């Protein structure tokens, strides 16, 4: 391998340097019909699952074909997407907030032709490359984090749990038969890069063992005051420990105060808490972002722990499928999952979804806990 | 021929949903064949080794990526995240495997020239693997080595005129819905505001100077497609003030069944004939709609939840007096539990003509306060909780308004200040004793 210079000269790093230019302006990448009708759209319709029609005040029409993806994409895969865009949609393509692809075409026939083409593209193992769907009252793509693929704090994998879940709910991706949209989201630790805390169904990686302490190295790798300050429950304090006849400056941990958030590890790599047996997944439900009918709401923990069961996490997907199916059968039209649970009552939610209610589901974290306890005699048997 | 056996990952190649395992394998094959004859600048077999290390995680249930370490490009404190494998001898191809965050075009529109240009860089100088996109919104290039970072940055800025995104305790790459580009609900040009503020605050984006991360997100309407209200320190959510525009003929077409409700979103199941009373009037959260052959909205009572508009998009349109609400303090649970954004500014005009100065004034006031008062690693939502909403409102320089709360306080422990009280707080104990014996 010979080093290829881009033109950067390390001896004169400022020479010819361009910085702080930000992103390219989005206006350069709008398909012509989008650009011509910017801010002048009249209404939209979903023609069939995965195909949207937008009609402008001018009467112009554009059809959008939406396809799901695994968020992790290779150069080869992206070049294939470019080839599809060049062939079908004038060389333009868009990614949605939920990691779907969207192509704009001019006619309904072209949209249906593209839908068929996209659905025909398969990997050698049999999986779709670009399954069309993700519109309306269905499940759209799962937003997720890095997991074991590329992160240093995860309690589970992200790409794998998402693949396993989307395989199980695939029918609800390609159809629109739920009472309302269901947004499933995945975050592989409590840091929640994926911000799953307002999702209809959330898959959340959690740790359950307090951090290990690498006494011999801690003081060399970490600022002890930062590690101490990082703990939201005050479980970490400075300490001295004798190992192999030598005294080390380190920390001590009050284990019963640990809530396994991993913030200490983020500040100090000598406090790892990953554990093959301890780690797993919590399932949360009932959150939403939209202001539609009801207010935005946080997700609630309904299953405190399922073990990591790679590669297909069968316990987790069984719970998700059961919740989704029960909701689909029981909720009213337009009623989001959390609104359905609020209406029937959470005691009834656990009964209908066949989930055990355990002491781990009663909040005991600071003030917000109080607002989740019941202060009324209105409850159901 | 695969470099490592991956029996667990191989099981994720079946099933209908796109398989990231199949995709990484195809990239491994493409690099091994190297049909273009590229002089790869990082190990050719890094996708193979990534599968190898991931299979190891699938076997033992633990990650094999180490803590970051300081890497980056000259003059920036953000944009690159250091990443090292903790079994480098087994997986040398990914021993050093840093992430590069790249600023995406707002709304995530691309043409193939730009995408192919990005791929040219990443094929030669990186792993050939990406996230399109990261949770915050950036294009994420997954895995390269330290000597390539300046080269990648040079080629991005000189060749494609694109910058790095944010990481660390700084402004993170702002993100927006697709807004006016393809949505009739957009109450302001969320893409242009996002672009303008991203450019204005490049210094804050690249050089960490904040207590912790800070996120802007822009939703064109209260439907909230980029989840601004749940995950941004300052959320800009489109809204309007005047009446919803009603086309009574189109309402009749919905009632008559000529147009499918909710833009056809419920087409997969037979929900019966559209019932405007049950599906619109009764579901209105402020009960401001009535229907007696004609739809009437008492617009003073409307809370703009979007339900009626979403249900009958051809009959109902948002009003013309448009702008946005600004909410502050949303975050995921770390450390103090999850927080939703709280309403700081009920309505502000989104005015490009004065370069959005009114919005920038609020942003900068809020930042000044947070940088003064915020503790290390404290999101502004936590600072607000600690010091109070009133303190934020005061610092932001916006008027106090009943809309900023759901209800008034439950306790009467009001922190009166001396200047609030007649005569102030300075009193003479001897004067007091003249009236009251010891």
């Amino acid at each position: 391998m010979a080093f290829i210079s881009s033109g950067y000269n390390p001896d004169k790093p400022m020479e010819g340097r361009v910085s702080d230019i930000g992103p390219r302006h989005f206006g350069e990448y709008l398909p012509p019909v989008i650009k011509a009708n910017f801010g002048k759209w009249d209404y939209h319709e979903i023609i069939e699952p995965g195909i949207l029609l937008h009609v402008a005040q001018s009467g112009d029409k554009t059809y959008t074909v939406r396809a799901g993806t695994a968020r992790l994409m290779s150069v080869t895969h992206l070049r294939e997407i470019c080839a599809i865009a060049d062939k079908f949609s004038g060389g333009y393509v868009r990614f949605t907030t939920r990691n779907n692809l969207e192509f704009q075409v001019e006619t309904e026939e072209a949209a249906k032709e593209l839908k068929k083409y996209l659905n025909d593209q398969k990997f050698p193992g049999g999986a779709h490359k670009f399954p069309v769907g993700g519109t309306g009252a269905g499940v759209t793509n799962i937003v997720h984090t890095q997991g074991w693929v590329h992160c240093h704090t995860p309690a589970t994998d992200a790409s794998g749990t998402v693949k396993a879940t989307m395989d199980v709910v695939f029918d609800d991706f390609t159809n629109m038969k739920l009472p309302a949209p269901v947004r499933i989201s995945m975050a592989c630790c409590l840091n929640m890069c994926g911000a799953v805390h307002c999702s209809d169904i959330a898959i959340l990686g959690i740790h359950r063992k307090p951090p290990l302490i690498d006494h011999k190295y801690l003081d060399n790798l970490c600022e002890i005051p930062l590690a101490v300050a990082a703990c939201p429950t005050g479980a970490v304090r400075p300490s001295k420990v004798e190992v192999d006849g030598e005294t080390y400056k380190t920390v001590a941990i009050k284990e019963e105060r640990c809530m396994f958030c991993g913030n200490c590890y983020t500040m100090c790599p000598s406090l790892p808490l990953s554990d093959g047996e301890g780690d797993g997944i919590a399932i949360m439900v009932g959150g939403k972002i939209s202001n539609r009918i009801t207010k935005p709401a946080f997700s609630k923990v309904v299953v405190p722990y399922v073990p990591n069961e790679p590669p297909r996490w069968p316990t987790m997907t069984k719970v998700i499928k059961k919740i989704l199916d029960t909701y689909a059968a029981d909720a009213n039209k337009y009623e989001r999952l959390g609104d359905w649970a609020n209406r029937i009552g959470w005691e009834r939610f656990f009964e209908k979804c066949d989930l055990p209610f355990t002491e781990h589901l009663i909040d005991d974290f600071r003030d917000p806990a109080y607002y989740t306890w019941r202060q009324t005699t209105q409850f159901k048997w | 021929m695969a470099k490592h056996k991956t029996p667990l990952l191989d099981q994720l190649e079946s099933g209908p949903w796109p398989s990231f395992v199949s995709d990484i394998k195809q990239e491994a094959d493409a690099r091994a064949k190297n049909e273009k004859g590229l002089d790869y600048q990082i190990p050719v077999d890094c996708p193979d080794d990534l599968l190898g290390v991931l299979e190891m995680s699938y076997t033992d249930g633990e990650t094999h990526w180490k803590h970051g370490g300081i890497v980056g490009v000259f003059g920036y404190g953000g944009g690159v995240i250091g990443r090292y494998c903790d079994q480098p001898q087994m997986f040398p191809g990914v021993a050093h495997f840093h992430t590069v965050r790249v600023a995406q075009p707002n709304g995530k529109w691309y043409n193939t020239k730009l995408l192919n240009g990005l791929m040219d860089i990443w094929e030669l100088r990186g792993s050939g693997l990406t996230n399109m996109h990261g949770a915050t919104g950036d294009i994420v290039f997954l895995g390269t080595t330290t000597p390539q970072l300046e080269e990648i940055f040079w080629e991005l800025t000189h060749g494609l005129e694109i910058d790095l995104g944010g990481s660390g305790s700084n402004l993170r790459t702002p993100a927006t819905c697709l807004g006016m580009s393809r949505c009739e609900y957009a109450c302001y040009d969320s893409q242009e505001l996002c672009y303008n503020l991203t450019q204005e605050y490049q210094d804050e984006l690249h050089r960490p100077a904040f207590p912790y991360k800070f996120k802007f997100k822009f939703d064109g309407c209260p439907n909230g497609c980029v989840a601004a209200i749940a995950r941004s320190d300052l959320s800009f959510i489109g809204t309007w003030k005047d009446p919803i525009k009603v086309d009574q003929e189109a309402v009749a077409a919905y009632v008559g069944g000529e147009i499918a409700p909710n833009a056809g979103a419920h087409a997969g199941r037979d929900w019966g004939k559209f019932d405007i009373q049950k599906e619109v009037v009764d579901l209105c959260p402020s009960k401001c709609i009535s229907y007696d052959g004609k739809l009437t909205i008492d617009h003073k009572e409307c809370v703009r939840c979007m339900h009626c508009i979403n249900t009958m998009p051809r009959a109902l349109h948002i009003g013309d007096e448009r702008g946005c609400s600004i909410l502050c303090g949303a975050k995921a649970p770390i450390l103090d539990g999850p927080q939703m954004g709280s309403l700081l500014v009920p309505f502000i005009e989104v005015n490009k003509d004065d370069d959005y100065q009114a919005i920038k004034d609020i942003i900068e006031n809020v930042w000044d306060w947070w940088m003064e008062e915020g503790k290390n690693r404290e999101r502004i939502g936590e600072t607000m909780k600690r010091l109070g909403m009133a303190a934020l409102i005061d610092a932001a320089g916006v008027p106090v308004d009943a809309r900023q709360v759901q209800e008034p306080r439950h306790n009467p422990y009001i922190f009166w200040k001396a200047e609030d009280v007649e005569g102030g707080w300075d009193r003479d104990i001897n004067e007091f004793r003249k009236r009251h014996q010891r």
Side-chain angles (χ1 to χ4, degrees):
Chain A
M1 181 189 90
F3 187 84
I4 301 172
S5 169
S6 61
Y8 171 74
N9 178 357
D11 296 328
K12 293 179 180 169
M14 294 312 289
E15 195 174 75
R17 191 171 193 83
V18 174
S19 70
D20 298 287
I21 56 172
R24 292 288 283 262
H25 192 270
F26 58 90
E28 296 178 66
Y29 307 106
L30 302 177
V33 65
I34 298 294
K35 196 160 198 164
N37 295 286
F38 193 94
K40 294 177 212 151
W41 295 99
D42 189 17
Y43 68 91
H44 75 284
E45 281 173 17
I46 304 168
I47 302 294
E48 59 179 63
I51 301 181
L52 302 154
L53 161 67
H54 285 84
V55 181
Q57 289 158 7
S58 65
D60 285 356
K61 290 180 175 181
T62 184
Y63 292 83
T64 305
V65 183
R66 180 180 293 172
T69 69
R71 179 184 79 155
L72 199 168
M73 292 182 199
S74 71
V75 165
T76 304
H77 192 66
L78 279 156
R79 291 210 198 275
E80 201 172 336
I81 290 166
C82 288
I84 293 168
D86 284 336
K87 185 174 170 192
F88 288 93
S89 59
Y92 296 94
V93 60
R94 178 179 175 259
F95 295 80
T96 72
T97 302
R98 300 197 72 89
N99 306 317
N100 298 293
L101 289 170
E102 286 184 345
F103 302 91
Q104 302 299 136
V105 296
E106 286 176 15
T107 64
E108 192 171 328
E109 295 68 45
K112 287 182 176 169
E113 187 195 342
L114 176 54
K115 177 173 174 176
K116 183 178 183 316
Y117 182 86
L118 291 168
N119 278 334
D120 285 345
Q121 306 306 306
K122 304 269 180 78
F123 285 109
H128 282 279
K129 285 183 172 175
F130 313 107
V132 174
T135 50
V139 168
T140 192
N141 203 345
I142 299 181
V143 291
H144 64 94
T145 57
Q146 302 271 27
W148 291 331
V149 167
H150 208 223
C151 184
H152 65 292
T153 66
T156 186
D157 190 34
S159 309
T161 52
V162 167
K163 164 73 174 152
T165 304
M166 285 308 290
D167 278 345
V168 168
V169 304
F170 190 72
D171 189 39
D172 284 312
F173 177 80
T174 55
N175 285 289
M176 305 187 292
K177 54 189 184 173
L178 297 175
V182 172
R183 302 287 180 249
I184 309 179
S185 308
M186 193 288 152
C188 53
C189 82
L190 290 175
N191 266 315
M192 277 200 196
C193 303
V196 306
H197 60 298
C198 294
S199 307
D200 294 281
I201 300 178
I203 302 165
L204 176 64
I206 56 161
H207 302 289
R208 295 186 308 160
K209 294 190 186 182
L212 285 156
I213 309 175
D214 202 350
H215 291 301
K216 284 189 177 180
Y217 295 87
L218 191 138
D219 193 33
N220 295 323
L221 280 167
C222 315
E223 295 286 346
I224 287 176
L226 286 181
V228 169
C231 181
T233 62
V236 182
R237 63 180 162 82
S239 177
K240 280 184 184 163
V241 163
E242 196 169 299
V243 186
D244 302 331
E246 281 213 47
T247 303
Y248 293 92
K249 279 205 270 188
T250 179
V251 299
I253 292 173
K254 209 170 178 67
E255 294 184 337
E256 67 273 21
R257 277 198 196 167
C258 182
M259 58 161 183
F260 320 101
C261 71
N263 205 44
C264 56
Y265 177 61
T266 299
M267 296 311 287
C268 175
S270 294
L271 295 170
L273 68 171
S274 282
D275 188 275
E277 294 166 327
D279 296 351
I281 284 166
I283 310 275
M284 305 175 75
V285 309
K288 72 192 275 270
I289 302 300
S290 155
N291 289 276
R292 186 174 183 174
I293 306 178
T294 54
K295 293 173 198 163
F298 292 126
S299 315
K300 291 98 183 144
V301 181
V302 295
V303 180
Y305 176 77
V306 290
N308 273 326
E309 296 167 328
R312 287 229 164 245
W313 283 268
T315 308
M316 175 196 78
T317 57
K318 196 175 152 212
V319 170
I320 291 171
K321 181 81 173 126
K322 174 74 181 170
I323 293 169
L324 190 64
D325 289 349
T326 309
Y327 158 74
D330 204 56
N332 295 330
K333 191 178 179 186
Y334 307 111
E335 193 170 48
R336 291 289 289 262
L337 203 154
D339 295 329
W340 163 68
N342 283 332
R343 176 172 60 82
I344 63 171
W346 287 91
E347 64 269 47
R348 198 65 83 234
F349 170 89
F350 283 92
E351 191 181 295
K352 290 195 175 196
C353 293
D354 208 11
L355 294 170
F357 189 88
T358 73
E359 74 275 19
H360 295 124
L361 300 174
I362 298 177
D363 195 354
D364 50 9
F365 186 69
R366 298 187 176 167
D367 266 7
Y370 171 78
Y371 301 102
T372 65
W373 306 336
R374 193 188 301 273
Q375 288 99 27
T376 171
T377 55
Q378 297 178 3
F379 57 83
K380 292 180 184 176
W381 292 111
Chain B
M1 188 58 202
K3 187 175 167 187
H4 305 282
K5 285 211 176 350
T6 54
L8 293 172
L9 289 173
D10 293 350
Q11 294 180 49
L12 289 174
E13 292 203 84
S14 60
W17 189 252
S19 170
F20 69 100
V21 175
S22 297
D23 190 15
I24 300 174
K25 283 186 178 180
Q26 85 174 357
E27 192 62 21
D29 286 347
R31 284 172 82 97
K33 281 190 199 133
N34 191 13
E35 283 174 352
K36 291 183 211 156
L38 291 177
D39 192 0
Y40 291 117
Q41 297 291 291
I42 78 161
V44 176
D45 56 357
C46 55
D48 286 296
D49 277 350
L50 183 67
L51 286 173
V53 73
L54 186 60
E55 179 76 12
M56 198 176 184
S57 284
Y58 270 52
T59 305
D60 57 30
E62 293 171 5
T63 191
H64 284 287
W65 297 101
K66 287 207 276 189
H67 234 277
I70 307 284
V71 289
V73 300
F74 191 75
Y76 281 13
V80 182
I81 297 103
R83 190 65 78 225
Y84 302 89
C85 181
D86 71 5
Q87 296 293 349
Q89 73 294 348
M90 293 169 76
F91 308 105
V94 294
H96 297 222
F97 208 60
H98 313 319
T99 308
V100 182
R101 291 186 182 166
V102 180
Q104 82 285 6
N106 296 328
K108 302 193 180 91
W109 292 97
Y110 291 86
N111 62 21
T112 52
K113 182 166 175 257
L114 176 63
L115 266 184
N116 276 315
L118 288 163
M119 292 311 105
D120 289 343
I121 296 173
W122 198 237
E123 194 169 24
L124 180 69
R125 302 192 179 276
S127 68
L129 302 172
T130 75
N131 286 329
M132 297 299 282
H133 296 72
T136 298
D138 319 73
I139 302 158
V140 173
F141 284 169
L142 278 180
T144 191
T145 58
T146 307
Q148 291 304 313
L149 296 174
E150 287 290 354
E151 311 299 328
I152 290 163
F153 181 63
W154 184 278
E155 288 186 357
L156 280 172
T157 51
H158 287 78
L160 300 179
E161 294 170 48
I162 290 188
D163 211 330
L164 299 184
S167 63
S169 288
N170 59 10
L171 177 65
R172 298 300 177 86
T173 310
T176 169
C177 65
L178 87 172
M180 287 186 165
S181 65
R182 207 196 59 205
C183 183
E184 69 269 30
Y185 302 150
C187 302
Y188 71 98
D189 189 347
S190 57
Q191 285 174 283
E192 191 61 46
L193 179 61
C194 181
Y195 179 77
N196 185 294
L197 296 182
T198 306
Q199 294 295 351
E200 176 83 20
Y201 298 119
Q202 282 291 299
D203 193 32
E204 286 78 2
L205 208 152
H206 289 131
R207 294 170 197 89
F210 289 156
Y212 200 14
K213 66 180 90 163
F214 199 95
K215 298 181 179 179
F216 292 154
K217 292 197 195 296
F218 306 85
D219 274 318
C221 84
N223 278 332
C225 289
V226 293
I229 205 166
R231 56 194 195 123
S232 55
D233 300 272
L234 279 179
S235 325
F236 302 85
I237 303 178
T239 191
W240 69 95
K241 279 185 143 176
D242 56 335
I244 290 171
K245 289 179 275 192
V246 184
D247 175 346
Q248 299 291 354
E249 275 181 38
V251 171
Y254 280 104
V255 173
E258 292 103 77
I259 309 175
N262 215 40
H266 290 82
R269 181 156 142 193
D270 182 9
W271 290 94
K273 190 178 181 308
F274 175 63
D275 180 343
I276 194 167
Q277 182 67 35
K278 191 172 149 202
E279 297 186 37
V280 179
V281 175
D282 293 349
L283 290 179
C284 172
S286 62
K287 302 285 176 264
C288 69
I289 306 182
S290 56
Y291 180 77
D292 57 356
K294 205 177 146 226
L295 192 81
T296 311
I297 303 175
D298 180 1
H299 91 93
K300 285 281 288 177
E301 302 308 314
C302 171
V303 293
R304 300 167 315 285
C305 86
M306 297 296 296
H307 175 65
C308 59
I309 297 176
N310 289 333
T311 306
M312 301 190 290
R314 289 178 71 169
L316 305 181
H317 290 88
I318 59 171
D320 289 325
E321 195 185 345
R322 301 172 186 180
C324 75
S325 302
I326 303 177
L327 292 87
C328 185
K331 56 180 270 293
I334 294 276
L335 297 162
D336 219 15
Q339 283 180 243
M340 233 29 114
S342 297
L343 184 65
L344 178 63
V345 182
F347 186 88
I348 192 164
E349 280 182 21
V350 181
N351 191 352
K352 195 184 179 187
D353 294 339
D354 71 352
D355 202 32
Y356 309 111
Q357 197 52 52
I359 289 173
K360 287 174 186 171
D361 287 345
I362 290 170
I363 291 170
E364 288 165 29
N365 284 342
V366 165
W367 277 349
D368 284 348
W369 177 72
W370 180 52
M371 285 197 277
E372 180 78 22
E373 301 286 351
K375 296 181 190 172
N376 182 39
R377 283 174 69 74
E378 184 177 63
R379 292 284 287 268
I380 195 167
E382 289 152 350
T383 315
M384 282 165 69
K385 247 170 120 176
R386 188 162 56 79
L387 300 178
M389 184 72 189
L392 172 75
I393 292 167
D394 184 46
V398 301
V400 174
D401 194 314
R403 293 164 191 84
Q404 288 157 336
V405 296
Q406 292 191 60
E407 57 189 17
R409 63 193 307 149
H410 295 188
N411 65 71
Y413 308 139
I414 300 165
F415 288 97
W416 296 107
K417 295 184 183 70
E419 60 264 32
D420 294 331
V421 188
E422 295 75 10
W425 285 353
D426 286 335
R427 288 170 292 163
D428 185 339
I429 187 67
N430 295 322
E431 288 297 314
F432 183 82
R433 285 293 163 228
K434 285 179 189 168
R435 303 192 301 273
H436 305 274
Q437 295 179 21
R438 271 194 190 85

